[in-house]
Amino acid sequence: ETATSSRKRDHLVICCEKPIEAGDAGFKDVRLVHNALPECDMDAIETRTRFLDRTLSSPLFIAAMTGGHPDTLEVNRRLARAAERYNLGMGVGSQRAALEKPELEESFVVVREEAPHAFLCANLGIIQLRDHGIEWAERAVEMIDADAIAIHINSLQEAIQPEGDHNAEGCLEALRDLCEEFSYPVIVKETGSGISAGTARAIWGAGASAIDIGGYGGTSWAKIECLRARDPGLADLGEAFLSWGIPTVVSLCEVRTTGNPIIATGGLRSGIDIAKAIALGADLGGMALPLLKPAMESDDALFAAVEAIHRELEVAMFLTGSRTVRDLSHARTYITGLTRQMIETIN
Ligand code: FNR
């Protein structure tokens, strides 16, 4: 068992047993404007949507979580079954452990076996991309016969975890090289601190195909590292950064102006949150923690969770008079409170 691999197992256990969310993603401050005369048939609502030249049955995206430890295989198998059954996009967790040690590939390979038709995203950290180059990105895609690759950025976690990499120099150049030479779409993904307008400009400038904003207000790596830390100094450091980051709703408003594909992830907790994210400019709404818990339980628990999210999304679409996801993207919203104050400082 490698250090990377056992860390993956630690994370899953902590995520299921302890409170690992921090802050507020801003969805409570957003209200979709109710349409009392929707003039559409709720049972004919069309949640189908296009993303990177693929048609998905709904904008719910199964966000990157796990793989790389034998204990994670069953969770990935279930998530993949849900992706296949409901025709959802899905990201796997960081493939670093399996790239370091190919014996650990099985918990990733199972995802494509269970989801032969799904839109699957490989996953690699930007630090690993910088250090190992395009070859690792190619191996990550091949491992699961992926349709795209997500390059995740996690500077906050790198800064506060004992084994973190403190040098972020050369990442943007590595990203530019990948986008130039790679034959698959590249999605750049934060993991809980959000992306600003300026960072988004740098990412689009590097040639990325999509951004997953990975905003603040859901799963918190500062909190997870606090709970994992054996060294009290590191726990304090994590604690000090519990409120660091751009809330998901604010980040969405920072990034959306460009018209490029966007996944909103971080603190989405219902189909209504997905509807709000789409009204605010996202193409897909990603969820990790709300799907992890049922996925640790059973196929049926996970399928029930997905169906509940879809029902909420459909009712929200109906009540805004949105027959299609495109209609929903034009739905009006009210934005109040701290979220509004933060958005007003953009530009
Ligand atoms: C994650 N996330 C994540 N992201 C990534 O790009 N690579 C990874 O390996 C992981 N690993 C991972 C493990 C676990 C257990 C969780 C809960 C999450 C981050 C995830 O994709 C997402 O961006 C955040 O969790 C925010 O979404 P939620 O959890 O607030 O819905």
Side-chain angles (χ1 to χ4, degrees), residues 237-294:
L237 186 58
E239 185 102 35
F241 283 87
L242 279 181
S243 59
W244 185 275
I246 309 170
T248 301
V249 169
V250 178
S251 180
L252 196 42
C253 296
E254 292 264 349
V255 173
R256 69 177 167 184
T257 45
T258 51
N260 290 308
I262 298 170
I263 308 177
T265 308
L268 279 74
R269 293 296 174 261
S270 69
I272 306 173
D273 289 347
I274 296 177
K276 289 175 180 177
I278 289 168
L280 293 170
D283 294 274
L284 302 179
M287 287 193 194
L289 195 62
L291 300 174
L292 180 62
K293 288 178 178 172

Side-chain angles (χ1 to χ4, degrees), residues 8-23:
K8 293 295 139 193
R9 192 206 35 217
D10 284 4
H11 285 158
L12 279 198
V13 171
I14 289 172
C15 288
C16 283
E17 293 178 351
K18 305 239 167 86
I20 55 147
E21 291 169 278

Side-chain angles (χ1 to χ4, degrees), residues 66-89:
T66 197
H69 187 281
D71 294 356
T72 66
L73 188 138
E74 207 49 45
V75 171
N76 267 353
R77 187 200 301 280
R78 291 201 183 111
L79 292 168
R81 280 187 185 144
E84 183 71 16
R85 183 182 173 110
Y86 298 101
N87 183 29
L88 306 176

Side-chain angles (χ1 to χ4, degrees), residues 8 10-16 20-21 25 61-67 91-96 108 122-125 150-154 157 189-193 212-221 224 248 264-269 286-292 296:
K8 293 295 139 193
D10 284 4
H11 285 158
L12 279 198
V13 171
I14 289 172
C15 288
C16 283
I20 55 147
E21 291 169 278
F61 185 83
I62 303 174
M65 274 176 271
T66 197
V92 297
S94 171
Q95 290 167 268
R96 176 185 177 178
F108 291 106
N123 191 289
L124 189 62
I151 300 298
H152 72 258
I153 317 176
N154 203 349
Q157 191 187 12
K189 172 181 189 302
E190 238 292 347
T191 46
S193 305
D212 182 332
I213 60 178
Y216 172 79
T219 299
S220 161
W221 290 97
I224 294 173
T248 301
T265 308
L268 279 74
R269 293 296 174 261
M287 287 193 194
L289 195 62
L291 300 174
L292 180 62
M296 305 265 303

